[in-house]
Amino acid sequence: MKQVKAVIRPEKLNDVRAALERAGVCKGIMITDIIGSGNQKGIQQVWRGEKYVLDLIPKVMLDLVVRDQDVPVVKKAILESAPIGEYGDGKIFVYPVEEVIRIRTGEEGEKAL
Ligand SMILES: Nc1ncnc2c1ncn2[C@@H]1O[C@H](COP(=O)(O)OP(=O)(O)OP(=O)(O)O)[C@@H](O)[C@H]1O
Ligand SMILES: [Mg+2]
């Protein structure tokens, strides 16, 4: 099993969720509002002629745990729905997951997804 964490633009959340639903690989999802910075360390803005850097930009983080074989489908769904084609489109991280337990039934592993 793998955990896919995707940081995306907040305004793309509905599109990305719809793409994941269509792909049929979304067993469950966690969504967190975050602030962060990537390669550009923020964006420069001008306010009343003064330049300043907005260094932490609001993003949304999606967190899904899926079967190993579903990872390519999840990646594809996100890559097709999340970008606007500019800096700050986000990033996908994939981690191994050791165990999943459904508390109600005690089921473990993929059965518990
Ligand atoms: N290496 C990283 N580690 C942890 N979080 C990251 C990392 N890179 C990006 N993020 C998170 O993803 C968000 C979006 O990153 P962003 O899309 O700007 O990545 P980037 O590497 O700068 O790519 P781009 O050049 O396309 O902007 C950041 O605000 C941050 O929350
Ligand atoms: Mg960036």
Side-chain angles (χ1 to χ4, degrees):
M1 294 172 288
K2 295 279 193 290
Q3 179 177 30
V4 181
K5 270 180 191 264
V7 182
I8 62 166
R9 297 180 185 279
E11 64 270 28
K12 285 291 191 171
L13 176 60
N14 287 341
D15 290 352
V16 174
R17 286 193 67 200
L20 289 168
E21 280 303 321
R22 272 197 306 277
V25 287
C26 189
K27 301 283 194 176
I29 193 164
M30 297 180 256
I31 297 173
T32 316
D33 285 315
I34 61 146
I35 50 174
S37 68
N39 258 340
Q40 290 74 32
K41 315 278 181 221
I43 45 177
Q44 195 179 70
Q45 306 225 313
V46 180
W47 190 75
R48 295 193 176 175
E50 297 288 332
K51 286 183 185 162
Y52 67 98
V53 174
L54 190 62
D55 62 344
L56 292 171
I57 296 168
K59 300 282 175 185
V60 164
M61 190 168 68
L62 309 179
D63 223 310
L64 300 92
V65 178
V66 299
R67 299 179 305 171
D68 287 4
Q69 66 260 41
D70 290 337
V71 171
V73 181
V74 171
K75 277 161 50 175
K76 184 166 181 278
I78 296 169
L79 288 171
E80 284 174 358
S81 57
I84 62 167
E86 291 179 15
Y87 292 118
D89 271 346
K91 206 163 272 186
I92 302 172
F93 303 91
V94 181
Y95 309 83
V97 171
E98 208 160 296
E99 188 56 292
V100 177
I101 302 157
R102 176 172 287 112
I103 292 175
R104 177 175 57 85
T105 58
E107 290 165 295
E108 296 186 356
E110 290 187 358
K111 288 196 300 293
L113 286 179

